[in-house]
Amino acid sequence: MYDPTVARLTYRALLGRRRAAILFVLPALLLLLAAAVRMFAGADDQVAANVLGGFAIATMVPLIGVIAGTGAIGPEIDDGSIVYLLAKPVKRPTIIFTKLIVAIAVTMVFSALPTLLAGLILNGNGQQIAIAYTIAALVASIAYSALFLLLGTVSRHAVVIGLVYALVWEALFGSLVPGARTLSVQQWSLAVAEKVAGQGMVTSDVGLPLATVLLAVVTVAATWYAGQKLRALKLAGEE
């Protein structure tokens, strides 16, 4: 289910000069923000939770997920180079699974690690806040990568759709419409973090059992459907 050649090509595409520069911007901003907040506000648990929840989980993680998830396959479909990959004796689900693993790895490195460092800067992991939000970033990285990889497979406008979901649905509707929070990867990941952090430091509108089920279902379903769409793309090319 994992092909090293496909993985190497995907890493090369994601970590190219221009895309890598974009990936570094948000983590750098988070670390600069954390340092500035610590300098002016000191080590405050609630402030640390607000910064990590408001910027790292709500903004940085989904945006990096969009870049990594859609970038793992979208450009290849757009420029037609996917045809050369499909011509290789590699199963279509293997291609999708390999690209998903790469997208998850890239998203985790560029989101979870900076989140941990920012948490340690902000309050030294008081109330387990740094660890809790790092776990939330890790969990969210998996679901976001699967969702946005699927978008990259089915649409040429995957980046735009991904940004709309991340910035409009989760950030805007999620803060205004209570029911929308149930369908939010951000809230699912926060449900996991809530069990780790000190009482009242992290809150989620979704219970942990439901959040766990939704995370698993979305990840598996998105990966499976992406494999089916890629298989259909191969058949269309043969016709």
Side-chain angles (χ1 to χ4, degrees), residues 183-214:
L183 301 177
S184 167
V185 174
Q186 176 186 334
Q187 291 298 320
W188 304 343
S189 64
L190 288 176
V192 180
E194 186 177 9
K195 297 300 180 181
V196 179
Q199 186 174 7
M201 290 293 100
V202 182
T203 59
S204 173
D205 292 326
V206 183
L208 181 59
L210 177 60
T212 303
V213 171
L214 290 173

Side-chain angles (χ1 to χ4, degrees), residues 16 28 39 42 56 61 78 83 106 120 126 142 146 161 164 167 197 205 219 225:
M39 182 181 300
V61 179
D78 291 341
V83 174
V106 170
L120 294 176
I142 299 173
I161 298 173
V164 168
L167 300 179
D205 292 326
T219 301
Y225 191 60

Side-chain angles (χ1 to χ4, degrees), residues 5-96:
T5 301
V6 174
R8 184 173 65 254
L9 294 174
T10 306
Y11 276 118
R12 185 180 301 173
L14 286 178
L15 300 178
R17 184 175 302 176
R18 185 176 64 178
R19 197 176 298 273
I22 298 174
L23 287 171
F24 274 107
V25 169
L26 289 171
L29 286 176
L30 174 62
L31 294 176
L32 287 174
L33 177 62
V37 169
R38 177 62 185 267
M39 182 181 300
F40 292 107
D44 185 286
D45 294 340
Q46 190 58 57
V47 171
N50 292 340
V51 171
L52 295 181
F55 185 83
I57 301 301
T59 303
M60 183 184 72
V61 179
L63 289 181
I64 290 178
V66 170
I67 296 171
T70 61
I73 195 169
E76 291 177 298
I77 294 178
D78 291 341
D79 63 21
S81 61
I82 191 69
V83 174
Y84 299 101
L85 182 58
L86 296 179
K88 303 296 182 182
V90 182
K91 295 180 179 179
R92 306 305 154 248
T94 298
I95 294 175
I96 289 296

